[in-house]
Amino acid sequence: MALGKSRLTFLLMLAFCGVCFGAVYRVGDSNGWTSRGLVDYNEWASTKDFHVNDSLIFTYNNQFHNVMQVTNQDFESCNPTSPVAVYTSGSDTITLEGPGKFYFMCGAPGHCQAGQRVEITATLPTPDDSFASPTPTPYGSSPSASHPEVLSPSSALSTSPALHFSKLGLGVSVSPCLCYLLFWVLYFKYVS
């Protein structure tokens, strides 16, 4: 029984380490997912480097909006009739599970035509991307002051590897080196 528990703990920690390699992006930054014309979502996406296992957070008022993942053809024509997936919670986290293009739009009448749609291109991370570390921020200053694309942890956005606790509204940067160290410590403790 003890050996089974040890291996389960090891496997859970291994899974935890796999989670820390994805960045978390809030679509539209502080404006969120809206049809008010406050954000050019494709311009927003063009300033980011999305990779496999990164997460997108769509925040919106679910009485007026939704998020539909659609095909390229439906994206180009703003056709909401045959979505790949539909999200309606008002705070949806979508993980980019493979390389390629992902298409999202709001299915409310006229919203896609008004610009509430985004095309995301996810690539496989390079070794340099995996070991990038966030630029330090001087104590007492806001991360967004020196890097507008990086918001404070409570905004759940980071361009560095991050864990996202959506219920807590936190984005916590974690070094991949720390994950590897934790992996080997646990490996030798529980498996050896």
Side-chain angles (χ1 to χ4, degrees):
M1 179 73 170
L3 182 60
K5 227 177 183 181
S6 296
R7 288 190 183 200
L8 177 62
T9 302
F10 172 72
L11 291 173
L12 288 172
M13 290 309 296
L14 182 62
F16 169 77
C17 286
V19 169
C20 71
F21 289 100
V24 177
Y25 297 93
R26 183 172 180 209
V27 176
D29 295 328
S30 61
N31 292 309
W33 186 238
T34 179
S35 61
R36 293 187 183 162
L38 301 172
V39 180
D40 179 333
Y41 291 102
N42 287 319
E43 183 179 318
W44 172 85
S46 73
T47 65
K48 314 284 188 260
D49 289 322
F50 298 102
H51 300 289
V52 173
N53 292 326
D54 286 354
S55 294
L56 305 173
I57 300 174
F58 289 85
T59 56
Y60 55 93
N61 182 332
N62 65 355
Q63 292 180 338
F64 304 106
H65 306 287
N66 61 31
V67 178
M68 292 186 164
Q69 183 174 351
V70 295
T71 65
N72 179 31
Q73 184 177 0
D74 287 344
F75 179 81
E76 293 299 329
S77 63
C78 286
N79 178 7
T81 59
S82 55
V84 174
V86 178
Y87 304 89
T88 59
S89 75
S91 182
D92 305 313
T93 301
I94 300 168
T95 301
L96 304 173
E97 295 181 349
K101 293 189 181 284
F102 297 84
Y103 304 95
F104 302 97
M105 61 183 254
C106 180
H111 289 202
C112 177
Q113 292 85 345
Q116 194 175 4
R117 63 187 194 150
V118 64
E119 176 182 334
I120 303 291
T121 303
T123 60
L124 293 171
T126 64
D128 289 343
D129 294 330
S130 297
F131 293 101
S133 61
T135 305
T137 304
Y139 178 76
S141 67
S142 164
S144 59
S146 57
H147 299 282
E149 73 279 5
V150 181
L151 301 178
S152 65
S154 63
S155 68
L157 171 74
S158 174
T159 56
S160 65
L163 292 174
H164 176 69
F165 302 97
S166 60
K167 298 291 183 198
L168 300 175
L170 298 174
V172 180
S173 294
V174 177
S175 166
C177 293
L178 181 61
C179 284
Y180 285 124
L181 178 63
L182 181 61
F183 168 81
W184 288 113
V185 167
L186 291 170
Y187 177 80
F188 287 113
K189 180 174 180 175
Y190 290 111
V191 177
S192 296

